[in-house]
Amino acid sequence: AQSVTQLGSHVSVSEGALVLLRCNYSSSVPPYLFWYVQYPNQGLQLLLKYTTGATLVKGINGFEAEFKKSETSFHLTKPSAHMSDAAEYFCAVSERDSSYKLIFGSGTRLLVRP
Amino acid sequence: DADVTQTPRNRITKTGKRIMLECSQTKGHDRMYWYRQDPGLGLRLIYYSFDVKDINKGEISDGYSVSRQAQAKFSLSLESAIPNQTALYFCATSETGGDQETQYFGPGTRLLVL
């Protein structure tokens, strides 16, 4: 069965520093790949997704992610962290079938230090 | 107004009680999903529905039931609540065709079972 691994349940960075959140998936067939963000007391909001085409995907709020098939990875980055980026981030995948069911990683809480 | 709404937002109930969580959407999407979120586990799929007459079990459906009363409404019921059903519950929607890979989430219902 498909699984998603997010390394690090908590990541702490200084404001202005690079943000790197890691995500690996288990499928040998590349699935659809997503990053969602959850701000406190809110639902999940789509940051970006990869379905096909260019492997470097740009999302909202300056985030981007790169799909690397050889590494089965889809890591999320942002060059310069802002205090408003503090949230929980979820990597998710769905199989390339008609169900589009999402399988989520366990989440990474990003803390941004002033 | 929010496109995906959930009621109630917070609920406290006792073991053995029947409880219903409701989800409504104005996005015109045909697909709807229920997830639960537990700390350190990410989100897990409980049930999903592709239209009013098509309901499917997800990863963790035991102890839950659902009803798709209309295209815009999808309810989740706990027939006899137990403490390990304490969690944050999310409803999500997506559309067949178009941007079908993307799910849009409601704000969540926080449920505490005593």
Side-chain angles (χ1 to χ4, degrees), chain B residues 65-81:
Chain B
S65 63
V66 291
S67 173
R68 185 84 184 265
Q69 301 96 322
Q71 187 185 42
K73 296 184 182 295
F74 193 35
S75 300
L76 176 71
S77 293
L78 287 66
E79 297 300 328
S80 180

Side-chain angles (χ1 to χ4, degrees), chain A residues 10-71:
Chain A
H10 292 78
V11 170
S12 180
V13 301
S14 298
E15 190 173 20
L18 172 71
V19 175
L20 171 60
L21 304 183
R22 300 178 185 274
C23 174
N24 289 87
Y25 61 92
S26 63
S27 174
S28 59
V29 177
Y32 296 122
L33 299 156
F34 307 81
W35 276 100
Y36 280 86
V37 60
Q38 183 181 28
Y39 297 105
N41 299 314
Q42 295 186 27
L44 279 72
Q45 179 183 4
L46 181 69
L47 267 180
L48 48 79
K49 66 179 180 182
Y50 171 79
T51 57
T52 188
T55 57
L56 182 62
V57 180
K58 295 187 184 300
I60 62 173
N61 301 336
F63 284 93
E64 60 184 35
E66 186 172 12
F67 164 57
K68 292 187 176 180
K69 182 178 178 180
S70 61
E71 299 178 6

Side-chain angles (χ1 to χ4, degrees), chain B:
Chain B
D1 288 339
D3 295 321
V4 184
T5 57
Q6 293 183 234
T7 55
R9 293 294 312 278
N10 294 278
R11 181 72 182 266
I12 301 173
T13 192
K14 295 182 179 180
T15 297
K17 294 292 187 181
R18 184 179 187 274
I19 183 171
M20 179 181 288
L21 310 182
E22 299 187 343
C23 177
S24 295
Q25 52 111 349
T26 58
K27 298 184 76 66
H29 289 172
D30 50 344
R31 300 184 175 198
M32 300 186 73
Y33 307 79
W34 275 106
Y35 295 88
R36 65 176 279 174
Q37 181 183 12
D38 298 278
L41 295 179
L43 281 76
R44 293 178 291 166
L45 182 63
I46 305 172
Y47 271 95
Y48 60 105
S49 169
F50 288 167
D51 64 37
V52 174
K53 296 182 179 180
D54 185 356
I55 293 177
N56 305 277
K57 292 182 178 181
E59 179 187 0
I60 53 165
S61 60
D62 287 350
Y64 301 94
S65 63
V66 291
S67 173
R68 185 84 184 265
Q69 301 96 322
Q71 187 185 42
K73 296 184 182 295
F74 193 35
S75 300
L76 176 71
S77 293
L78 287 66
E79 297 300 328
S80 180
I82 56 177
N84 75 1
Q85 291 177 313
T86 292
L88 186 54
Y89 290 85
F90 286 104
C91 174
T93 73
S94 68
E95 60 179 343
T96 300
D99 185 20
Q100 56 193 350
E101 311 90 12
T102 302
Q103 293 184 21
Y104 296 86
F105 286 79
T109 293
R110 191 172 297 279
L111 176 65
L112 173 61
V113 183
L114 300 175

Side-chain angles (χ1 to χ4, degrees), chain A residues 38-113:
Chain A
Q38 183 181 28
Y39 297 105
N41 299 314
Q42 295 186 27
L44 279 72
Q45 179 183 4
L46 181 69
L47 267 180
L48 48 79
K49 66 179 180 182
Y50 171 79
T51 57
T52 188
T55 57
L56 182 62
V57 180
K58 295 187 184 300
I60 62 173
N61 301 336
F63 284 93
E64 60 184 35
E66 186 172 12
F67 164 57
K68 292 187 176 180
K69 182 178 178 180
S70 61
E71 299 178 6
T72 61
S73 68
F74 191 56
H75 301 331
L76 181 70
T77 60
K78 182 174 180 177
S80 177
H82 192 273
M83 296 297 292
S84 61
D85 294 327
E88 189 153 22
Y89 293 79
F90 292 94
C91 181
V93 304
S94 69
E95 300 289 0
R96 292 181 181 266
D97 59 20
S98 60
S99 74
Y100 299 103
K101 293 181 293 182
L102 287 173
I103 299 167
F104 284 86
S106 56
T108 297
R109 185 168 298 279
L110 177 65
L111 308 172
V112 182
R113 304 184 304 271

